[in-house]
Amino acid sequence: MRIAPHALTAVAAISVALLAGRVYQPAKAEEAPPLTQNQIAVLADQAFAAAGMPAGLTTPEAIPVQIRRGETFEQAVRRTGIAPEEASAVAATLSNAMDVNAMRAGQRFETAISQPRGGRGEARLIGLTMRTGPATQLTVSRSFDGALRLRALEEKVTHETVVLTGKVEGSLTRTARREGAPADVARAAGRLFSHRFDMDRDIRANDEFTYVFGRTVTENGRTIGTDGLLYAELKGVAFYRFQPEGAREPQYFDATGKNTRSAFMRTPLERGFRVSSSFGFRRHPIAGYRKMHQGIDFAAGSGTPVVAPADGVVVEARRWGGYGNWLRIRHSNGLETGYGHLSRYASGMRAGQRVRQGQIVAYVGSTGASTGPHLHYEIWRRGQRINPAGVRTTEGTVLAGADLAAFKAEKARIDRIRAAGGERRPVVQRAAVEGLRPAQG
């Protein structure tokens, strides 16, 4: 009896399966997980790019473009190397969704450009992407027949209230940033704690901290906005954000409703410093003899931000002998502060400029008679230099009545968020960008 070859193959396969102790079963295809809208859009872009790339051209290269002063969108596109008529076609396509003539200098967009193989001929635009809002963008890509196709993409946006905990490793601000706190949240917490602590001497490694803050993120995890610090705790000292009736901006209070803001911050630096020379007699590092040191020196890296320890008015910002770049600020109660050896001033720092407590006013440097980057810090009381470490000022007020009741309700809400480890809620999208209009046709 003759047996067909394929029958022998089937018998052999079944025999091997039985010898291995398994029953032969036909292979089953696993269901692929459903794709998100954003993943679908990415795959579509890749498909259109692959289909629209003509033969004889290189793989598309990403070329960022920024519109220059006095330049139109079409002229900016032409700088990628594509033909004038193709740049006009791109502008005409994009004009179905927005007014390309209203684009200002500085507007950025990304292009994908293919070059001709062998160096002959003109470049070809394969795709263009322009962000029109924090979570929206327009794309121009080539369809299967080579025509330009316009599409508006919108990412889902979620608002998160984040509870962040960690242990200090080096600088508190840098640690918080490494753990995921936005820059404005880390700075705000540093300013708050500087009212209660000497940030150089009182904060130690492994000190635990907790921050609660809000942020808005896209479905890809990109942060597109923050709404500030709600709560901060360090070494058992906690602050809650609350805006009393009639106040121009939110303030921070302890658990009893006492305003944590003191009239004077303990240091004009928030992070990355140490006291290198105290107030009093010392051997001068340059002159070599004992001399009265009428301030405190903080060793810190060049460029470290210097903040105003209290509200005030700039008296002078100028070069002053051995002090190098010098800044002096007048505060209330007959107090003035001075800052020497600065590398530069913050924008707008000039005589007559009003500053707020915690506002960056300058940056650490080594100008003048200096042996290295540091801040020389002085305080005057009614024209006489005094020891900055000895300044004692009153703290803020205590909430009462309706304000205290409203504060307790807000404190309870923040405590619930802390206990739950945070919260999330979707955000309804609004308009994309100035000049955007519905697509025609």
Side-chain angles (χ1 to χ4, degrees), residues 57 61 63-65 68 71 73-88 90 109 111-116 119-126 142:
L57 295 179
E61 176 188 2
I63 300 179
V65 181
R68 297 170 179 170
E71 187 178 50
F73 168 75
E74 187 173 329
Q75 290 170 335
V77 173
R78 287 183 58 180
R79 283 194 281 108
T80 64
I82 66 175
E85 58 270 19
E86 184 153 339
S88 297
V90 174
F109 54 92
T111 63
I113 305 295
S114 287
Q115 301 294 334
R120 294 183 179 182
E122 292 179 299
R124 189 83 180 271
L125 183 136
I126 305 302
R142 291 199 177 277

Side-chain angles (χ1 to χ4, degrees), residues 101-157:
N101 295 320
M103 291 186 187
R104 299 187 178 92
Q107 173 74 54
R108 300 174 184 268
F109 54 92
E110 295 282 338
T111 63
I113 305 295
S114 287
Q115 301 294 334
R117 295 186 184 276
R120 294 183 179 182
E122 292 179 299
R124 189 83 180 271
L125 183 136
I126 305 302
L128 180 147
T129 301
M130 177 179 293
R131 187 160 292 283
T132 54
T136 57
Q137 64 183 21
L138 291 172
T139 66
V140 176
S141 57
R142 291 199 177 277
S143 61
F144 293 100
D145 59 0
L148 295 174
R149 177 177 182 269
L150 176 67
R151 183 172 66 232
L153 299 177
E154 182 174 342
E155 294 182 80
K156 293 180 181 178
V157 177

